[in-house]
Amino acid sequence: MSKLDFILEELVTANRILANEGIVDSFGHVSARHPDKPDHYLLSRARAPERIERGDIVEYKLDGTAIDERGRVPYVERYIHGAIYEARPDVHAVVHNHSPSTIPFGVTGKKLKPLLHMCANIGHEVPVWDSQDKFGDTTLLVSDMAMGRDLAQSLGSRPSALMRGHGATVAGRTVRHAVFISVYLEMGAKLQMQAMQMGDVKFLTPGEVDQIIARVTDFPLNRAWENWARRAGREMQA
Ligand SMILES: [Zn+2]
């Protein structure tokens, strides 16, 4: 199997997992950097993640121009992906979602931070990108490269960022890594809301976060991936 075939199958599985785990609904998307052309990426046509098949995946240049579109309508927000790949050579997969528990943290000024060891991968503190700051009143959708690049700047070198009144974006070193972070971003946000209702929260310390992140090798990522993939009706690729 070629590297490209592998990544295309990974993307189908990633879409099904994210839908099955409640991280995306009919909206939201996941992409991968092209394994042979680092200035291109792979992303489905505009379709609900749960329904995506291999033939839906289109190759794009970083500026969002499709290669061989063949009538497949693109996601308006594909610029999120290209802008992050442009800014971050270390990133090989991007997830954008409207993960429900993250939304309150984008609109209240309460900082989303990891309080559970499994959530360390969301980063020390999740920044909030507010499209209003630079672009004023918009639909809130990242609909051109200027907005994508501004979001990428807010993300910086971190694994995740929230988008005010809209959702979240996650950057990973592989498709499995980006999906892993996305699942635990939603879980961490839900737990933090519950914990805040009970009182003051003791978060992970920066040193704890760094130690946990250093231990997240392919082994735990694959363990989670196999389980989530099978639950979503897909087999894990070797
Ligand atoms: Zn969106």
Side-chain angles (χ1 to χ4, degrees):
M1 183 185 260
S2 72
K3 277 194 250 176
L4 179 58
D5 283 328
F6 181 86
I7 290 291
L8 291 169
E9 291 296 327
E10 287 284 273
L11 279 176
V12 173
T13 304
N15 274 286
R16 304 290 179 81
I17 289 174
L18 290 167
N20 197 50
E21 299 300 322
I23 309 305
V24 295
D25 50 11
S26 300
F27 301 90
H29 21 93
V30 48
S31 71
R33 194 188 288 275
H34 194 295
D36 307 316
K37 298 178 231 170
D39 55 347
H40 288 201
Y41 63 94
L42 302 158
L43 175 70
S44 172
R45 71 179 170 102
R47 195 176 193 193
E50 201 168 350
R51 304 291 161 218
I52 285 166
E53 293 169 26
R54 194 170 150 157
D56 295 319
I57 298 171
V58 180
E59 181 179 334
Y60 293 94
K61 293 186 196 173
L62 294 189
D63 69 2
T65 309
I67 310 288
D68 193 20
E69 194 166 40
R70 284 187 277 126
R72 294 173 290 180
V73 177
Y75 290 117
V76 172
E77 295 197 279
R78 61 193 179 283
Y79 305 102
I80 293 170
H81 303 263
I84 292 172
Y85 293 126
E86 179 183 82
R88 294 275 301 274
D90 61 310
V91 169
H92 291 269
V94 172
V95 174
H96 168 62
N97 61 53
H98 309 147
S99 176
S101 302
T102 65
I103 303 302
F105 294 93
V107 297
T108 56
K110 298 280 183 205
K111 300 284 186 211
L112 176 55
K113 297 189 284 188
L115 54 73
L116 168 70
H117 70 111
M118 293 304 291
C119 299
N121 294 279
I122 69 173
H124 294 106
E125 181 178 302
V126 184
V128 178
W129 176 69
D130 187 347
S131 53
Q132 181 67 228
D133 290 346
K134 200 160 175 181
F135 302 96
D137 290 344
T138 64
T139 60
L140 276 78
L141 300 179
V142 179
S143 50
D144 58 34
M145 280 304 279
M147 292 180 84
R149 285 177 178 134
D150 197 50
L151 168 63
Q153 196 171 29
S154 170
L155 176 73
S157 60
R158 301 177 192 86
S160 64
L162 304 184
M163 300 152 80
R164 194 268 303 167
H166 178 175
T169 293
V170 167
R173 59 179 183 263
T174 62
V175 172
R176 295 179 189 189
H177 188 223
V179 167
F180 187 91
I181 297 169
S182 303
V183 170
Y184 286 107
L185 184 67
E186 166 64 20
M187 186 188 289
K190 191 183 270 182
L191 289 170
Q192 186 174 331
M193 284 192 286
Q194 291 168 350
M196 286 188 320
Q197 286 176 359
M198 296 173 68
D200 290 338
V201 181
K202 180 160 186 180
F203 293 97
L204 302 186
T205 68
E208 287 170 339
V209 170
D210 291 339
Q211 287 198 32
I212 296 163
I213 288 176
R215 281 182 63 95
V216 179
T217 59
D218 285 346
F219 187 80
L221 296 183
N222 289 342
R223 177 165 150 186
W225 183 265
E226 183 197 14
N227 185 35
W228 293 333
R230 288 211 177 165
R231 205 143 72 182
R234 297 274 299 174
E235 285 301 313
M236 174 175 166
Q237 304 185 92

